[in-house]
């Protein structure tokens, strides 16, 4: 089976993580949640007293934490300096500060190199999800997909995940994060020119997964034909 690298980008709440994990599991591929890596370094900064609004302080500390990502889609893991960070990185405090940390060029350079090394080392292929995978991290990915959805749909999904969170407030937070991620100077959130856009607003998760699996299988078939 051809090694295939799949880049899945898009803003929060479009179904990137659920879709990417399920597609990787169905096709026997590895899986990497790049957003978790930025959350992990943000959590480390907060835990170690680094002022995340001070770009110079963040840049100077960026190389200190050791972040290790497991790539099993059935059980993706992430550790920071050997400690399990899967739970701590999902707090509201980390969520509110991750955009500031990930906008620092030194952070993006380090994490991007980590992501590339993981993707290059994945046997059989990998599904990598994030915000700048197809444009910056893996511009030569075999297949690039950009997931979108209306702000209302995204807010409803995210509020459902977080139980009891106000939908309107969540919508505003998502729009604010989109603006920050799309306008940062280094590796902004953007759709690659050659990416396939999939609007998930009116689709169930199973339908999105089926759509992406079909796209990957079609790409594999094309790769196979080109190699003959």
């Amino acid at each position: 089976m051809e090694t295939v690298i799949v880049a899945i980008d898009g803003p929060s709440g479009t179904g990137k993580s659920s879709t990417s994990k399920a597609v990787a599991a169905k096709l026997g591929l590895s899986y990497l949640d790049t957003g978790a890596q930025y959350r992990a370094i943000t959590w480390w900064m907060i835990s170690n007293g680094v002022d995340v609004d001070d770009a110079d302080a963040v840049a100077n500390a960026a190389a200190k934490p050791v972040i290790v990502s497991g790539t099993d889609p059935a059980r993706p893991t992430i550790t920071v300096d050997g400690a399990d960070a899967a739970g701590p990185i999902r707090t509201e405090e980390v969520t509110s500060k991750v955009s500031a940390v990930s906008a620092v060029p030194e952070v993006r350079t380090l994490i991007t190199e980590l992501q590339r090394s993981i993707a290059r080392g994945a046997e059989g292929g990998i599904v990598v999800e994030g915000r700048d995978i197809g444009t910056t991290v893996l511009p030569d990915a075999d297949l690039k997909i950009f997931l979108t959805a209306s702000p209302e749909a995204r807010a409803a999904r995210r509020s459902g995940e977080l139980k009891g969170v106000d939908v309107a407030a969540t919508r505003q937070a998502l729009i604010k994060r989109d603006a920050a991620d799309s306008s940062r100077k280094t590796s902004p959130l953007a759709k690659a020119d050659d990416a396939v856009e999939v609007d998930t607003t009116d689709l169930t998760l199973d339908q999105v997964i089926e759509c992406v699996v079909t796209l990957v299988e079609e790409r594999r078939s094309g790769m196979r034909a080109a190699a003959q």
Side-chain angles (χ1 to χ4, degrees):
M1 188 66 74
E2 289 73 21
T3 295
V4 62
I5 294 179
V6 182
I8 299 184
D9 291 306
S12 299
T14 54
K16 288 196 310 294
S17 294
S18 299
T19 298
S20 299
K21 280 187 282 193
V23 169
K26 279 178 173 287
L27 297 176
L29 304 174
S30 296
Y31 160 76
L32 178 62
D33 175 0
T34 63
Q37 296 174 319
Y38 285 106
R39 285 176 170 273
I41 197 168
T42 300
W43 174 62
W44 184 92
M45 296 283 175
I46 295 169
S47 301
N48 285 272
V50 178
D51 181 358
V52 299
D53 294 316
D54 183 341
D56 288 336
V58 171
N60 290 333
K64 293 181 180 179
V66 176
I67 298 170
V68 178
S69 297
T71 58
D72 179 355
R75 188 176 171 274
T77 58
I78 186 158
T79 63
V80 180
D81 294 338
D84 179 11
I89 66 172
R90 301 296 173 182
T91 63
E92 188 57 41
E93 183 178 24
V94 171
T95 298
S96 67
K97 295 177 177 179
V98 67
S99 284
V101 173
S102 27
V104 176
E106 289 81 358
V107 170
R108 297 208 76 83
T109 296
L110 283 164
I111 298 296
T112 294
E113 284 307 311
L114 174 60
Q115 292 163 358
R116 286 174 178 160
S117 68
I118 292 171
R120 284 195 294 262
E123 292 186 16
I126 189 168
V127 178
V128 184
E129 58 127 325
R131 286 172 169 75
D132 66 340
I133 310 308
T135 54
T136 302
V137 180
L138 300 169
D140 296 326
D142 299 302
L143 175 64
K144 302 174 189 177
I145 296 170
F146 193 85
L147 298 185
T148 65
S150 70
E152 292 74 20
R154 293 164 53 208
R157 291 169 186 166
R158 186 50 51 91
S159 297
E161 292 170 3
L162 300 176
K163 302 300 180 191
V165 174
D166 180 74
V167 176
T170 301
R171 180 179 181 277
Q172 286 305 114
L174 287 172
I175 291 172
K176 182 179 179 181
R177 171 119 194 238
D178 289 350
D181 289 348
S182 300
S183 62
R184 65 175 177 241
K185 292 181 179 179
T186 305
S187 302
L189 165 66
K191 176 189 169 187
D193 292 339
D194 55 347
V196 179
E197 183 170 322
V198 178
D199 189 332
T200 70
T201 301
D202 298 318
L203 300 178
T204 65
L205 177 58
D206 285 343
Q207 288 172 326
V208 178
I209 292 167
E210 182 180 357
C211 174
V212 175
V213 165
T214 299
L215 288 169
V216 176
E217 289 179 332
E218 288 175 350
R219 182 66 188 120
R220 269 182 163 172
S221 295
M223 293 166 65
R224 194 176 304 122
Q228 291 176 350

